[in-house]
């Protein structure tokens, strides 16, 4: 009995004095980003928006932790230095959301995933030959593709709503880019 009590006391002391560690899940996932091709000789035809632009939407693998799918959307606006083997390619940032100072956030609501673009600080740099509308359309394509890749193995569809905030004065027409769609398995029809 004395040995058992001593063992329990020792076990409790070790739990109390042990450093706190938390378990986190890290997942490697594809995150699609709207990318500028400025500084290159390429254009890309984006079928979803029906235009050939000096921009594209491409995935890159990311190791992420946090609330999914919200963290996926937040990660679409990650700084991106394009790797190169050409010393003449000096572009330091290609992610259009970062370049154009467009904020993005996502939260789960009762209706599904709500994605917000904050365009209050938006400005298109001179080297980016795109309109604000084209940049946001590319960002919507990136969101859709990222969520489709994540949601495809899930058992049910995810409703998604995208809204544009901070669109005051001259940016007000951008609000009409708000859109709703669903990703993942289609629901059975009666």
């Amino acid at each position: 009995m004395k040995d058992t009590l001593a063992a329990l006391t020792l076990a409790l002391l070790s739990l109390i004095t042990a450093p706190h560690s938390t378990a986190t899940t890290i997942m490697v996932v594809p995150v699609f980003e709207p990318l500028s091709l400025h500084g290159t000789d390429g254009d890309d035809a984006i079928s979803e928006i029906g235009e050939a632009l000096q921009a594209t939407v491409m995935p890159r693998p990311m190791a992420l932790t946090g609330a999914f799918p919200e963290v996926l959307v937040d990660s679409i606006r990650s700084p991106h230095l394009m790797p190169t083997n050409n010393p003449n390619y000096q572009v330091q940032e290609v992610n259009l959301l970062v370049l154009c100072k467009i904020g993005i956030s996502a939260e789960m609501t009762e209706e599904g995933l709500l994605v917000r673009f904050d365009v209050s600080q938006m400005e298109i740099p001179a080297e980016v030959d795109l309109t604000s509308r084209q940049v946001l359309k590319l960002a919507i394509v990136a969101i859709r593709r990222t969520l489709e890749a994540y949601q495809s193995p899930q058992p049910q569809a995810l409703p998604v709503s995208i809204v544009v905030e901070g669109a005051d004065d001259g940016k007000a027409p951008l609000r009409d880019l708000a859109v709703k769609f669903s990703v993942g398995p289609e629901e059975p029809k009666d």
Side-chain angles (χ1 to χ4, degrees), residues 16 22 42 53-54 79 95 100 121-122 125 157 161:
I16 293 170
T22 57
L53 306 171
Q54 196 171 21
N95 187 313
C100 300
Q121 303 298 312
M122 180 180 63
S161 297

Side-chain angles (χ1 to χ4, degrees), residues 18-49:
H20 289 77
S21 63
T22 57
T24 54
T25 302
I26 301 171
M27 292 178 56
V28 176
V29 293
V31 174
F32 287 78
E33 296 175 332
L35 303 175
S36 171
L37 299 177
H38 73 279
T40 72
D41 298 320
D43 287 351
D44 196 10
I46 311 294
S47 61
E48 288 93 339
I49 63 172

Side-chain angles (χ1 to χ4, degrees), residues 15-187:
L15 285 174
I16 293 170
T17 60
H20 289 77
S21 63
T22 57
T24 54
T25 302
I26 301 171
M27 292 178 56
V28 176
V29 293
V31 174
F32 287 78
E33 296 175 332
L35 303 175
S36 171
L37 299 177
H38 73 279
T40 72
D41 298 320
D43 287 351
D44 196 10
I46 311 294
S47 61
E48 288 93 339
I49 63 172
E51 297 182 62
L53 306 171
Q54 196 171 21
T56 191
V57 175
M58 287 186 167
R60 73 170 166 168
M62 295 182 81
L64 301 175
T65 190
F68 283 82
E70 297 95 319
V71 73
L72 290 168
V73 173
D74 294 343
S75 297
I76 290 170
R77 191 192 186 278
S78 297
H80 193 139
L81 173 64
M82 185 81 70
T84 183
N85 66 351
N86 187 325
N88 295 323
Y89 182 74
Q90 299 291 316
V91 175
Q92 296 297 303
E93 181 60 59
V94 295
N95 187 313
L96 285 165
L97 295 176
V98 174
L99 281 168
C100 300
K101 300 177 185 168
I102 299 170
I104 189 170
S105 64
E107 70 173 297
M108 286 301 293
T109 67
E110 289 182 16
E111 292 80 34
L113 185 67
L114 174 61
V115 178
R116 292 182 177 98
F117 286 121
D118 179 359
V119 298
S120 60
Q121 303 298 312
M122 180 180 63
E123 50 185 71
I124 309 294
E127 67 271 13
V128 175
D129 188 22
L130 300 169
T131 66
S132 53
R133 183 169 289 279
Q134 289 169 325
V135 171
L136 288 173
K137 284 182 177 182
L138 289 165
I140 292 168
V141 170
I143 290 168
R144 183 184 289 268
R145 288 185 186 175
T146 298
L147 292 174
E148 284 173 348
Y150 171 74
Q151 199 65 26
S152 65
Q154 305 300 324
Q156 54 190 341
L158 174 67
V160 179
S161 297
I162 298 176
V163 297
V164 179
E165 296 179 339
D168 300 326
D169 302 327
K171 299 175 191 170
L174 295 175
R175 285 191 209 121
D176 72 0
L177 290 172
V179 65
K180 292 183 180 190
F181 56 88
S182 185
V183 293
E186 288 188 32
E187 298 191 23

